[in-house]
Amino acid sequence: MTILVIAEHDNVSLKGSTLNTIGAAALIATMTGSDIHVLVVGHKVQAVSEAAACIAGVSKVLFADSRTPEGELAENTEATVMALQSDYTHILAPATAYGKDIAPRVAAKLDVAQISDITAVVSADTFERPIYAGNAVVTVKSHDSIKVITVRTTAFAAASEQGGCAVQEAVAWVDAGPSSRFVGRQVRQLDRPDLANARRVVSGGRGLGSPENYAKVLEPLADLLGAGMGASRAAVDAGFAPNDYQVGQTGKIVAPELYVAVGISGAIQHLAGMKDSRVVVAINKDAEAPIFSVADYGLVGDLFALVPELIDSLSKEAVH
Amino acid sequence: MNRTIPPWRKILKILVAVKRVVDANVKVSVKSDGSGVDLANVKMSMNPFDEIAIEEAVRLKEAGVATEVIAVSAGVAQCQETLRTALAIGADRAILVEWNGELQPLGVAKLLKAIVDREQPQLVILGKQAIDDDSNQTGQMLAALAGFPQATSASKIIICDGRATVSREVDGGSETLSVSLPTVVTTDLRLNEPRYVTLPNIMKAKKKPLETLSPDDLHVDVTIRLETLKVTEPPRRGAGVILPGVDSLVEKLRMEAKII
């Protein structure tokens, strides 16, 4: 029996999400005695393939070199997966923008269900996943011969990047045709940790009042803490922060060591995205705000006074 | 100047899939027997992302790009209410595939594929995710089954010369794809802000055609593939303490949480 993991990468290095997905695959592998194969699809992916070969627990890396320099399309990756000549029992991808684009396509082509965003492996065919913005957890059993799964990366420990010595094998990259063309990508230059991988997150809500305040109040705190920045849906809707800063049910799910929620009331959709953080600090003027029900430490008061005071106090400490 | 209208421009039919879900403001509770969540007497609404989908389709019609907007839903008879909302926003007609049993994304994607075969739309718009099962699958599955290109999590759609240029929300920024029609697009939050439905439009919607079909009519097997073994409450996170001020917060973060 063999498990296939579809690797997320940027043609230079593997994304952390791939390691967590392999972590989930390893749990299934211990129950079933399966091998783990990793598929790397992209342009000039030799280095990524070599890195994948070193991951503990991986027995084979399949790499498919595309002709396009960037913007690998979900259609092509799905077609490449479908062309693999192997009997996989499980196909896993991270539940990120990348994986969510591909996994449902593969499942539909195989005529099997896709199991989204698993948070626990109960057995080889039974998994836990959150529904209703994380207000309920469902245990589902798949009756399909192949399980196509996306993995909530914060729920599984990352596989070790070292200790493996997998075989690498080139496989054919399949071009699904000209109906879709990559035009371009607008990547924001981040001088702070990416939200999804940050150890600390500073997140802002509607209480900040304006895009200027979001930046002026929160950025110094994030800089001081070496934190990634997030936002509530309300703040994103109001244009205070970019869409991919959104933490919550329909945005990013994060579980950092420290989550500082500033001016966020704590709608259930937001709590769904951050309640697995180790320590939650909430700063809000409304003592009844639901965010305090999940916060370890709360400060009730004016954020425009409290945050600068916090920055002042923290800058006297060695915070890193 | 003799400007002939290109054929794709003459009939640009848009199909929009809408789902009836628990209203976003309802906090659901898990049934004590672990069989599911309690949906008795709970307010139901159109999935918010689907509302954005129907709004986008209607705007394309208002802009003269589209000629017809068809809303489709699958599920119990009460989904008619959801379809009436879509009609009140501005869809021209609606189709309900009525089914009283559980539906899962693969089954819904197959139903939509059958409707696509029947209606031959050039653009299918769906919400990226339903806020009940949080799957984020149906659009991609439909694209794969129909052999259409896909553009998921759209924040902007421009239709021109038989193609759609779609900006997508991805991790770290945005991405632009150019896809040929027919295509499947799924919506993200910032695509548009859906309008408020007015009373005259609600009245008008009551007179618009709504066709009801069954999965059998479409020759689709909607048997579920994932069996629900149990539904449980997530682990609760206990509330902490409200602190008197910044100094005690810094103290707690350092001494108790040991995080700074």
Side-chain angles (χ1 to χ4, degrees):
Chain A
M1 295 199 355
T2 312
I3 302 167
L4 181 72
V5 172
I6 302 171
E8 181 174 14
H9 62 91
D10 58 6
N11 291 331
V12 178
S13 56
L14 286 165
K15 294 272 177 76
S17 59
T18 304
L19 299 173
N20 301 103
T21 307
I22 294 171
L27 289 177
I28 302 170
T30 21
M31 293 172 184
T32 55
S34 303
D35 287 337
I36 299 174
H37 291 183
V38 173
L39 173 69
V40 181
V41 184
H43 187 63
K44 295 184 177 162
V45 287
Q46 193 60 48
V48 179
S49 173
E50 277 164 22
C54 294
I55 298 169
V58 176
S59 64
K60 191 191 265 188
V61 178
L62 308 167
F63 62 96
D65 244 314
S66 68
R67 282 187 289 277
T68 45
E70 59 170 343
E72 192 45 43
L73 301 165
E75 287 86 346
N76 298 339
T77 306
E78 172 251 293
T80 301
V81 172
M82 293 305 295
L84 295 176
Q85 301 294 317
S86 195
D87 299 325
Y88 294 111
T89 55
H90 299 75
I91 300 175
L92 275 64
T96 56
Y98 175 81
K100 288 190 277 198
D101 227 17
I102 300 164
R105 296 186 59 90
V106 172
K109 286 286 177 76
L110 292 168
D111 194 25
V112 300
Q114 193 242 283
I115 309 157
S116 289
D117 217 15
I118 64 161
T119 49
V121 175
V122 178
S123 72
D125 62 7
T126 305
F127 310 91
E128 287 181 11
R129 57 177 303 263
I131 53 174
Y132 291 95
N135 284 301
V137 177
V138 63
T139 305
V140 291
K141 182 185 167 88
S142 166
H143 291 286
D144 289 315
S145 55
I146 304 173
K147 283 79 177 159
V148 180
I149 294 166
T150 61
V151 173
R152 177 170 291 200
T153 55
T154 54
F156 295 91
S160 167
E161 286 180 270
Q162 279 138 35
C165 189
V167 187
Q168 296 176 61
E169 183 184 313
V171 295
W173 175 73
V174 182
D175 185 346
S179 60
S180 184
R181 278 200 316 257
F182 177 78
V183 177
R185 182 175 288 136
Q186 298 79 44
V187 181
R188 257 186 320 284
Q189 289 305 319
L190 283 179
D191 42 14
R192 55 173 57 87
D194 170 46
L195 174 60
N197 305 314
R199 280 179 52 238
R200 296 165 175 174
V201 171
V202 171
S203 205
R206 194 154 32 192
L208 283 151
S210 71
E212 295 73 29
N213 286 342
Y214 177 87
K216 194 177 71 188
V217 176
L218 296 191
E219 277 175 5
L221 180 61
D223 288 344
L224 191 63
L225 290 168
M229 289 182 74
S232 68
R233 173 177 166 169
V236 169
D237 267 353
F240 298 179
N243 187 73
D244 67 316
Y245 277 35
Q246 190 201 158
V247 173
Q249 179 187 17
T250 62
K252 289 220 168 58
I253 311 293
V254 299
E257 290 278 295
L258 174 65
Y259 188 89
V260 185
V262 179
I264 292 178
S265 63
I268 51 174
Q269 290 83 359
H270 183 76
L271 304 186
M274 47 64 72
K275 65 183 177 186
D276 293 329
S277 306
R278 186 165 81 79
V279 176
V280 174
V281 173
I283 300 174
N284 202 297
K285 66 174 190 294
D286 176 11
E288 303 299 316
I291 190 75
F292 290 117
S293 72
V294 299
D296 299 280
Y297 307 119
L299 290 178
V300 178
D302 179 14
L303 69 91
F304 296 102
L306 289 169
V307 174
E309 204 185 317
L310 179 61
I311 291 168
D312 199 42
S313 178
L314 285 174
S315 44
K316 292 175 196 147
E317 311 248 344
V319 293
H320 288 285
Chain B
M1 204 164 63
N2 180 18
R3 293 184 63 175
T4 50
I5 303 168
W8 61 266
R9 187 78 194 253
K10 281 185 207 154
I11 40 149
L12 197 136
K13 230 193 233 190
I14 306 179
L15 187 73
V16 181
V18 296
K19 185 178 185 182
R20 178 177 181 264
V21 298
V22 168
D23 187 88
N25 297 313
V26 172
K27 188 176 186 316
V28 297
S29 52
V30 172
K31 285 188 202 167
S32 52
D33 65 357
S35 63
V37 297
D38 192 0
L39 296 181
N41 304 316
V42 162
K43 186 184 179 204
M44 304 294 280
S45 296
M46 187 189 297
N47 180 44
F49 289 100
D50 304 349
E51 221 178 323
I52 294 171
I54 200 90
E55 174 69 32
E56 191 67 14
V58 171
R59 285 186 193 188
L60 286 169
K61 191 184 173 198
E62 288 166 348
V65 175
T67 46
E68 188 182 25
V69 177
I70 308 160
V72 56
S73 191
V76 294
Q78 291 91 320
C79 294
Q80 286 188 23
E81 295 162 20
T82 317
L83 287 168
R84 290 290 171 201
T85 306
L87 293 168
I89 293 171
D92 298 291
R93 60 186 171 96
I95 302 169
L96 170 62
V97 184
E98 198 171 324
W99 182 251
N100 289 320
E102 186 187 349
L103 287 167
Q104 290 178 346
L106 182 63
V108 175
K110 288 179 179 177
L111 292 174
L112 293 175
K113 163 70 167 60
I115 301 276
V116 163
D117 289 345
R118 230 174 62 132
E119 297 288 345
Q120 302 283 315
Q122 283 74 46
L123 177 61
V124 187
I125 314 181
L126 305 87
K128 73 164 181 179
Q129 172 176 345
I131 60 164
D132 51 1
D133 65 4
D134 286 332
S135 286
N136 195 329
Q137 298 178 9
T138 309
Q140 296 89 307
M141 285 183 157
L142 172 62
L145 294 175
F148 293 175
Q150 72 183 36
T152 55
S153 301
S155 58
K156 191 175 182 187
I157 305 172
I158 299 167
I159 309 282
C160 186
D161 292 335
R163 294 186 80 87
T165 303
V166 181
S167 303
R168 306 179 51 223
E169 309 273 17
V170 294
D171 296 332
S174 70
E175 185 176 284
T176 307
L177 295 179
S178 169
V179 289
S180 62
L181 303 182
T183 189
V184 172
V185 176
T186 73
T187 62
D188 215 322
L189 274 183
R190 294 194 300 181
L191 182 59
N192 62 51
E193 203 167 307
R195 69 195 65 187
Y196 287 102
V197 179
T198 60
L199 189 60
N201 284 334
I202 292 171
M203 301 311 288
K204 232 187 284 175
K206 288 184 180 167
K207 297 197 186 80
K208 291 184 180 176
L210 193 161
E211 182 187 6
T212 301
L213 300 169
S214 72
D216 275 350
D217 294 335
L218 297 167
H219 310 290
V220 172
D221 176 5
V222 291
T223 310
I224 59 166
R225 308 295 188 82
L226 297 177
E227 183 192 346
T228 296
L229 298 184
K230 62 174 178 185
V231 176
T232 53
E233 294 256 357
R236 290 229 170 273
R237 193 186 173 99
V241 288
I242 300 289
L243 301 171
V246 164
D247 290 342
S248 52
L249 173 61
V250 174
E251 175 77 10
K252 288 278 190 192
L253 289 176
R254 195 180 47 191
M255 303 308 290
E256 195 174 84
K258 297 189 185 349
I259 206 149
I260 56 169

